[in-house]
Amino acid sequence: MEAKEHWFLQGFLVIAMVIAQGPTIKCPSSPLCYKKTESATIYTCEWETPESMKNATYELFYSRSNSSESRTSLGSSRKSCICVQDNTVLNKVLVDIWVVAYMGNWSCQSRNTAVTLSERVKYEAPQRMSMARSSSNLTLSWDNKKDAIIEVKFRRLEETSGTWKTFKKEVKQAMVTLENLQNESVYQLQVRQMSKHVKHPLWSDWTPILDVPTEIPNPPEVNWTVEDFNNGTRLLKLTWGTPPYPVSMQVNYNLSLHMWPCLLKRKNFTNVTTTEISVYVTYSAVSGDIIAFNKVGKSSPTHILVPAKHLTFPSKSWPNDRLIPLNYAHGFMKSCLEWYKSTDGETQPEKVNRSKLNGTVKKKLKHVRKKMDDYVRYYYLVHKQTDGKPQSTEMCLMYKKEGAPSKAPDHFTAPILYVTTNSAMLHWKPIPVPDQRGFLTHYEVCYTRRSQKNESHIESGKCHNSFASKTEYLVQNLTPGTIYNIHLAGATAAGSGPTTTIQIVTKPLPQSIIGWIIAGIIVLIAILITVCLFIIKRHKKKIFPPIPRPVVVESVNYRARNQNMYEEEEVHELQLHDNCSQDPNPEEATVLEVSETYECEDTDEKCLGDSSTPVSDLLSPDYKGQVLRLETPDSSQGEIDCMVTMLMYRNGLVFDMKAYSTEDVGIPL
């Protein structure tokens, strides 16, 4: 029983002691008081607080060291720091400072800190750090106008698990340079600073870890595309590539564009993180610049120039003060007139004239025309805003007054002149726009041939026109091995300009070709002769029929004397007709037919006839050279005169002969 009472009394005493002591708390650390600058009038006192004292209330006290004066409160706060206004006595004497934490009914006091506040300065961590890399050096700068001691610790990004390298240096300006860094490596670093003008300076806090990328060696490569809506508005899309790693780390872009012609001010696009941008523009030229930058520097700028949409064909002249721009609204911000000299026909010059309405539109345009020069090409555009988009409502390529070109096309040169045996391909450079003095309508190409007998004599030539857009022409139908003078000139509506002349010599035909041509002509003539002979031989009888000798009536004695002189002739058929008979019946006529031919050996025999003929004696087999005798002893002279002799040959020739006497009729066979 007594033992139980003893254990009960011990437990009660423990509980009473815990209640008497209150909750378990840890006191804050000794306060650290300092000024942020040497000339500051506010002190900052800060201390560390345990996790269990986050909800406590803190009060800061001070008293002179080695003095019996009572303590003085400098203020209270629920935070772990208190800002104290400057006190002349507190600033210059040695004082003890401490902090008391209150939590409920319990309190806890830190240890005292003896300090002269004027000798304690703690700068802030360097602010707004800027970096610049050049070759193997890195320059750091920040906002601080006083001298200080700088400490930098750095390491390569690939060595995050390694130790930091430190660099400490006194600087007179807020700038320090790290040397001998690797150009293509990314670094990490931290910086802190400390005053060197007080007796007990304090290091500032470290800056956050900063990544140091490599420098950007090359400017951005910009590509642009234009989508024309054919209504005076274009969509301009700019794209550029991302630099390779590690240059690409934390790279941004600044872009400025002059895209609204009615104002000189550019539109800026800053801190662009993408690699493309699209904007609406007019038909006028768009210019601008783009720069890539990161923490350590920036690239050189890339100039952007999107040419104007120029007309490629002649438009008009402006011979009087009539109004050309039609869509011209009052108000410079809503609409404007832009005009300039077109020096090369494509590029917009730096100097561009923009109208400002100081009076009526008519007066303004008259003033514009007076400022223009004759024989100079101008380009004008009218711009306005439509639904928030820039738009070119009118565009024109024009001359105030046109004239003939003042310059000939550039001389021909050997590399651009190709000559063959019968042609020459001409190439030339176009007349520069300032020398055209008008819209070119065509090029005149003339060529003349020198006489081969008298080289000083020039024969009349030919002229041809070539399109103004062409810079080449093929001269054809030339004579081989001949000297030609070729003249070239540009022409406008006002006339032709100066000519440029070149002398060419067409190539002669090679000897081998001449030999082949002669051989070919000879072969062709031989073929024609052969064909003609073949045709004549095949159709000789139709074209040139044989003509027999006429019949000669001879006496017997004369025939006997000259029998050997007769030519041999073969008779195919012999017919005798009585033309004196009144009976037209041919069957009753006296007919002598020889259907077969015989040769007569004896010249005194009768060798005509066959079994059916009225001739009693047939022709002998050897009839050639003989005379066929036809005798009618019982007939009178009148009957003989009525007899008709017809000789029919195999080739179809027929001879009709009439006997005039009672003598024998002889036909040489």
Side-chain angles (χ1 to χ4, degrees):
M1 185 68 181
E2 293 179 357
K4 291 182 179 180
E5 292 178 356
H6 177 72
W7 284 107
F8 176 77
L9 291 173
Q10 279 188 341
F12 178 77
L13 292 173
V14 171
I15 294 173
M17 290 176 63
V18 171
I19 294 174
Q21 292 178 358
T24 302
I25 60 176
K26 292 184 179 180
C27 296
S29 62
S30 299
L32 178 63
C33 297
Y34 56 88
K35 295 190 298 182
K36 292 186 177 180
T37 62
E38 291 83 358
S39 60
T41 59
I42 297 176
Y43 297 92
T44 300
C45 294
E46 58 185 18
W47 55 89
E48 295 181 0
T49 59
E51 197 67 30
S52 60
M53 299 294 290
K54 293 295 184 182
N55 296 326
T57 301
Y58 303 95
E59 187 174 5
L60 186 66
F61 295 93
Y62 84 94
S63 66
R64 287 193 178 187
S65 298
N66 303 323
S67 174
S68 59
E69 293 181 2
S70 61
R71 65 180 184 176
T72 302
S73 176
L74 295 175
S76 63
S77 174
R78 296 183 66 88
K79 298 180 180 179
S80 59
C81 64
I82 293 177
C83 293
V84 181
Q85 189 68 30
D86 185 15
N87 186 305
T88 305
V89 177
L90 182 63
N91 186 27
K92 294 183 179 181
V93 299
L94 184 64
V95 296
D96 294 331
I97 298 177
W98 67 94
V99 64
V100 178
Y102 299 97
M103 195 171 188
N105 295 329
W106 311 100
S107 64
C108 183
Q109 178 180 333
S110 68
R111 293 181 180 182
N112 294 348
T113 299
V115 63
T116 301
L117 294 180
S118 61
E119 298 177 353
R120 293 289 183 96
V121 175
K122 180 183 179 182
Y123 291 154
E124 292 182 343
Q127 302 294 320
R128 291 182 287 276
M129 293 283 299
S130 62
M131 310 175 189
R133 291 190 72 166
S134 176
S135 185
S136 60
N137 298 333
L138 171 65
T139 301
L140 305 174
S141 59
W142 58 93
D143 293 342
N144 190 359
K145 296 182 180 180
K146 297 192 179 216
D147 300 343
I149 300 174
I150 297 298
E151 184 178 9
V152 182
K153 60 179 183 180
F154 60 94
R155 65 185 177 187
R156 294 175 58 191
L157 182 62
E158 295 84 358
E159 300 173 352
T160 53
S161 59
T163 58
W164 293 87
K165 296 179 181 179
T166 59
F167 174 80
K168 187 184 293 185
K169 184 179 181 180
E170 292 185 9
V171 295
K172 294 182 179 181
Q173 296 178 350
M175 182 181 296
V176 66
T177 300
L178 302 179
E179 299 178 348
N180 299 324
L181 301 181
Q182 297 182 12
N183 294 337
E184 299 180 355
S185 297
V186 179
Y187 284 85
Q188 290 182 328
L189 59 82
Q190 288 182 289
V191 183
R192 66 178 182 176
Q193 60 182 346
M194 182 176 64
S195 174
K196 63 178 183 178
H197 299 288
V198 296
K199 188 175 181 180
H200 300 287
L202 301 175
W203 282 107
S204 69
D205 295 333
W206 288 102
T207 60
I209 297 178
L210 303 175
D211 292 331
V212 183
T214 60
E215 61 180 336
I216 304 175
N218 301 317
E221 295 182 1
V222 181
N223 297 317
W224 56 267
T225 57
V226 173
E227 181 181 358
D228 191 356
F229 297 110
N230 296 321
N231 61 354
T233 301
R234 299 182 294 174
L235 179 62
L236 173 62
K237 184 177 181 181
L238 301 174
T239 58
W240 54 89
T242 302
Y245 181 87
V247 180
S248 60
M249 290 184 59
Q250 303 173 357
V251 174
N252 292 337
Y253 303 91
N254 288 337
L255 178 66
S256 63
L257 292 175
H258 183 226
M259 47 190 293
W260 176 230
C262 296
L263 293 178
L264 298 177
K265 185 178 179 180
R266 290 187 174 190
K267 185 174 182 179
N268 297 322
F269 303 87
T270 58
N271 295 324
V272 178
T273 57
T274 61
T275 57
E276 65 178 35
I277 189 171
S278 298
V279 292
Y280 289 100
V281 296
T282 63
Y283 283 168
S284 181
V286 179
S287 60
D289 297 283
I290 184 173
I291 296 175
F293 68 93
N294 56 16
K295 289 182 179 180
V296 298
K298 60 183 180 180
S299 67
S300 57
T302 298
H303 184 63
I304 302 171
L305 178 60
V306 180
K309 181 183 178 181
H310 281 143
L311 298 176
T312 57
F313 53 87
S315 296
K316 61 185 72 175
S317 298
W318 197 355
N320 48 45
D321 294 330
R322 63 188 178 87
L323 301 180
I324 291 182
L326 304 177
N327 302 319
Y328 195 93
H330 292 274
F332 180 67
M333 294 297 296
K334 296 181 180 179
S335 180
C336 67
L337 173 64
E338 179 185 23
W339 56 282
Y340 51 85
K341 292 182 179 180
S342 181
T343 55
D344 60 357
E346 296 182 359
T347 306
Q348 176 176 306
E350 295 182 0
K351 183 180 179 182
V352 176
N353 301 289
R354 296 178 176 87
S355 66
K356 294 182 180 180
L357 294 179
N358 298 324
T360 62
V361 176
K362 184 175 181 180
K363 291 182 179 179
K364 183 62 183 178
L365 295 178
K366 287 184 178 181
H367 178 69
V368 168
R369 185 178 180 276
K370 289 181 180 179
K371 294 173 64 176
M372 291 183 174
D373 300 327
D374 293 339
Y375 316 123
V376 176
R377 182 176 297 184
Y378 286 90
Y379 191 66
Y380 84 80
L381 303 98
V382 178
H383 309 293
K384 71 175 184 178
Q385 290 278 356
T386 304
D387 298 331
K389 297 179 181 179
Q391 182 182 16
S392 298
T393 57
E394 190 169 350
M395 55 193 300
C396 181
L397 191 66
M398 64 181 182
Y399 282 90
K400 179 181 177 181
K401 183 179 180 181
E402 292 189 65
S406 61
K407 184 179 179 182
D410 285 352
H411 292 283
F412 306 108
T413 56
I416 58 175
L417 184 64
Y418 182 72
V419 181
T420 63
T421 56
N422 59 354
S423 65
M425 175 60 76
L426 310 178
H427 296 266
W428 63 88
K429 293 182 180 179
I431 301 175
V433 172
D435 298 322
Q436 292 181 11
R437 305 177 78 230
F439 296 115
L440 285 180
T441 57
H442 61 275
Y443 285 99
E444 293 181 354
V445 181
C446 299
Y447 57 95
T448 57
R449 184 176 66 177
R450 285 196 175 188
S451 175
Q452 296 181 354
K453 297 181 180 179
N454 186 5
E455 293 186 357
S456 62
H457 175 69
I458 298 178
E459 300 178 1
S460 60
K462 298 180 180 179
C463 291
H464 302 279
N465 292 337
S466 177
F467 293 106
S469 59
K470 302 292 185 180
T471 57
E472 62 181 16
Y473 186 79
L474 179 63
V475 181
Q476 296 178 317
N477 300 324
L478 302 180
T479 304
T482 306
I483 300 175
Y484 286 90
N485 291 332
I486 299 179
H487 312 277
L488 177 67
T492 64
S496 301
T499 61
T500 180
T501 303
I502 186 175
Q503 187 178 91
I504 66 169
V505 179
T506 55
K507 296 181 179 180
L509 291 174
Q511 295 297 328
S512 59
I513 295 179
I514 296 176
W516 280 108
I517 292 176
I518 296 175
I521 294 174
I522 294 174
V523 171
L524 181 61
I525 293 174
I527 292 174
L528 291 176
I529 293 174
T530 304
V531 172
C532 293
L533 292 176
F534 176 77
I535 294 174
I536 292 173
K537 184 176 181 180
R538 185 169 184 177
H539 302 280
K540 179 179 180 181
K541 295 181 179 180
K542 294 182 179 180
I543 298 175
F544 305 107
I547 301 176
R549 290 180 175 274
V551 177
V552 179
V553 179
E554 300 176 342
S555 62
V556 176
N557 297 328
Y558 181 81
R559 184 176 63 249
R561 291 192 304 266
N562 299 287
Q563 184 175 1
N564 297 329
M565 298 178 61
Y566 292 135
E567 295 181 359
E568 295 180 357
E569 200 166 19
E570 180 180 356
V571 178
H572 175 252
E573 184 176 352
L574 174 65
Q575 293 183 359
L576 299 178
H577 297 275
D578 185 5
N579 290 339
C580 298
S581 175
Q582 300 297 324
D583 189 359
N585 190 358
E587 296 179 358
E588 298 179 0
T590 304
V591 177
L592 175 62
E593 291 187 1
V594 180
S595 59
E596 294 182 4
T597 304
Y598 300 92
E599 294 183 356
C600 299
E601 297 178 355
D602 189 3
T603 57
D604 296 333
E605 295 179 355
K606 297 177 180 147
C607 302
L608 239 192
D610 62 2
S611 58
S612 61
T613 59
V615 183
S616 59
D617 295 330
L618 297 177
L619 294 175
S620 64
D622 189 11
Y623 65 90
K624 294 182 180 180
Q626 300 180 8
V627 178
L628 180 63
R629 303 175 186 272
L630 300 179
E631 298 180 356
T632 54
D634 298 331
S635 300
S636 65
Q637 182 68 27
E639 293 177 353
I640 295 175
D641 293 338
C642 294
M643 297 296 295
V644 177
T645 305
M646 296 185 66
L647 298 179
M648 299 182 65
Y649 295 84
R650 290 185 181 274
N651 57 6
L653 295 179
V654 177
F655 287 86
D656 189 0
M657 294 168 291
K658 183 177 180 182
Y660 293 99
S661 64
T662 57
E663 297 183 52
D664 296 338
V665 180
I667 298 97
L669 299 179

